[in-house]
Amino acid sequence: FALPYEEFGSISTSLSTIKTFLEILSTATATEKQTYYPALMALQVEMQKRILKSSNPRISELEDEEQGVDEEGEEVGSEVDIFIARGIEVIVAVSDIYPNPVIDSLYPLLGQNMENYFRIAEVIKVRGYFPEVGNVITDMSTIIRLFG
């Protein structure tokens, strides 16, 4: 299972379709849900990778993009912000169907990123800086959002 990295806008549209499918699947019987278990777990893991800067360099490349404005003049997030939000929504929708497996995969991710954060804090105390501290903080923020 793989999602292309090239266009966040088209992926965001695809994620909306996937989320709709997951909402429909959430009302299915346990047997029907079980049919999709391997694909849902692969989707969830892939989305984890795609929404974190540490595993998706395209997010950092496109991060400086300006926020847009909708038809009513309201400020909306950048394409990357929308992509991350929709990715989180997909992971949450999978967790609604299979809460324990999703939580089981998210806790190690949270722990690993917390360890990285504290290691970086020690480096900052010694050196006074760490070049990728923003990426680590952004990933931690995204992971924490997954826990709602």
Side-chain angles (χ1 to χ4, degrees):
F1 179 83
L3 294 171
Y5 278 104
E6 290 76 29
E7 293 293 326
F8 283 112
S10 62
I11 292 174
S12 290
T13 302
S14 298
L15 292 178
S16 292
T17 304
I18 291 169
K19 187 169 179 276
T20 301
F21 169 74
L22 293 171
E23 288 169 358
I24 293 167
L25 186 60
S26 69
T27 64
T29 66
T31 304
E32 292 169 330
K33 290 178 186 177
Q34 191 60 34
T35 303
Y36 295 98
Y37 179 80
L40 293 177
M41 294 301 100
L43 173 64
Q44 183 258 325
V45 168
E46 187 65 24
M47 286 311 308
Q48 279 178 207
K49 292 177 189 174
R50 298 301 172 114
I51 64 174
L52 298 175
K53 287 184 174 186
S54 60
S55 53
N56 185 352
R58 293 280 293 152
I59 290 177
S60 292
E61 291 172 16
L62 297 173
E63 182 177 51
D64 294 333
E65 176 185 307
E66 290 186 24
Q67 294 186 337
V69 177
D70 66 10
E71 306 84 42
E72 298 162 4
E74 297 291 321
E75 199 171 274
V76 295
S78 70
E79 219 174 317
V80 172
D81 294 334
I82 294 167
F83 170 75
I84 290 171
R86 288 198 176 142
I88 289 171
E89 290 172 4
V90 167
I91 293 170
V92 168
V94 173
S95 74
D96 288 343
I97 298 168
Y98 286 110
N100 291 338
V102 172
I103 294 296
D104 288 346
S105 74
L106 290 177
Y107 272 121
L109 183 66
L110 177 64
Q112 175 188 10
N113 276 275
M114 287 179 75
E115 287 176 20
N116 289 344
Y117 177 79
F118 290 121
R119 272 191 238 130
I120 288 171
E122 291 301 316
V123 170
I124 290 172
K125 285 180 187 177
V126 173
R127 290 189 195 165
Y129 72 95
F130 189 86
E132 295 181 9
V133 71
N135 290 348
V136 173
I137 291 171
T138 301
D139 280 357
M140 277 299 296
S141 172
T142 301
I143 293 165
I144 289 169
R145 287 173 56 195
L146 285 168
F147 284 94

